[in-house]
Amino acid sequence: MALNKLAHLSLVNKVTSELENHIGIADKTLSEFVIDLAEKHADARSFQKALDEVGAELSFDLVRNLLEMIQRMRPKTGGGADGGGGGGGDRSRTKPT
């Protein structure tokens, strides 16, 4: 649980840094909102549409980069203590055919 909180704080800081670098706004509340919105959208186009609907006019490249970063860095929830310490490494493995 403490590691999930630490991972979430790290993600918030990274998103805040990216937003500051690209749009000049360093606001952790805004970053939390962007993370929450990203978790509701699996692809960059729907994420950008959701951002546009709330008045955030961001370039598609930034939206795509933010979504990929959030999906990669977000703490895993709901899995419990079932040995999920791999940190997402399973996604990069290819299965033999």
Side-chain angles (χ1 to χ4, degrees), residues 72-89:
R72 184 178 63 246
M73 292 181 66
R74 73 176 167 214
K76 303 297 179 243
T77 57
D82 61 346

Side-chain angles (χ1 to χ4, degrees), residues 33-64:
F33 177 74
V34 169
I35 291 166
D36 183 64
L37 207 53
E39 290 175 347
K40 297 174 183 172
H41 299 277
D43 65 276
R45 291 281 177 210
S46 65
F47 182 40
Q48 184 170 38
K49 183 178 180 191
L51 287 166
D52 287 345
E53 288 173 357
V54 295
E57 297 174 8
L58 304 176
S59 72
F60 182 71
D61 287 338
L62 176 57
V63 170
R64 186 184 62 228

Side-chain angles (χ1 to χ4, degrees), residues 7 20 22 36 58 75 92 97:
E20 183 176 23
H22 291 275
D36 183 64
L58 304 176
S92 64
T97 55

Side-chain angles (χ1 to χ4, degrees), residues 19-40:
L19 291 173
E20 183 176 23
N21 289 339
H22 291 275
I23 63 173
I25 299 172
D27 185 323
K28 291 185 190 269
T29 302
L30 176 60
S31 296
E32 292 271 7
F33 177 74
V34 169
I35 291 166
D36 183 64
L37 207 53
E39 290 175 347
K40 297 174 183 172

